[in-house]
Amino acid sequence: MKRSALLLVATVALAACSTTGGSLSSLFGNERASYVEENGLTGKDSVHVVQGRIYRGMPINHAVAALGSPRRRDTVETSSGALRVEYLYTARANAFDPGNLPRAYVYAQDRTVADWKHLDRIPRFDAYYEGGM
């Protein structure tokens, strides 16, 4: 019952947000809702995925579902010998400034989000639009 209520709230919030966006944001929002349902996410994780947000300690698979596929993924070994994965996200080009592609990074360690950098420099991931007039 509790899980169904959370899923219903997440779906309603998603529907409300997608009515104001374009077809791309609606499609991506539907993918998020499907991910939540298929993986049985509850509580904090389901809300974050549907809203396209992440938090420290979030399983990296859920973070990728929330933000979308990264442009690139690199693995490095830290000085303590642990593996750290860096996910690169870039803004999409638009007709107004096609050469300016701000970069953001999400870092994962032990399959959970450890940190991120510059996510605020990229327009909201579900708010991309095709440039042009």
Side-chain angles (χ1 to χ4, degrees), residues 109-126:
Q109 195 165 336
D110 298 326
R111 298 184 186 174
T112 62
V113 174
D115 203 4
W116 57 83
K117 184 167 56 170
H118 305 306
L119 283 177
D120 58 334
R121 292 185 182 175
I122 296 180
R124 185 152 171 84
F125 289 97
D126 63 355

Side-chain angles (χ1 to χ4, degrees), residues 25-99:
S25 64
S26 297
L27 177 62
F28 192 56
N30 289 337
E31 289 176 6
R32 289 180 188 156
S34 295
Y35 179 87
V36 167
E37 187 174 334
E38 290 169 8
N39 291 282
L41 272 62
T42 59
K44 186 176 184 178
D45 287 335
S46 66
V47 171
H48 277 75
V49 169
V50 169
Q51 292 178 347
R53 299 173 132 320
I54 61 173
Y55 63 89
R56 284 176 185 81
M58 181 181 209
I60 193 62
N61 292 343
H62 300 347
V64 170
L67 299 177
S69 297
R71 180 170 299 268
R72 188 179 70 222
R73 185 179 103 171
D74 293 321
T75 304
V76 296
E77 188 173 336
T78 65
S79 58
S80 64
L83 289 180
R84 184 173 177 132
V85 182
E86 176 186 82
Y87 295 84
L88 168 68
Y89 288 91
T90 60
R92 293 186 183 174
N94 67 60
F96 301 108
D97 192 3

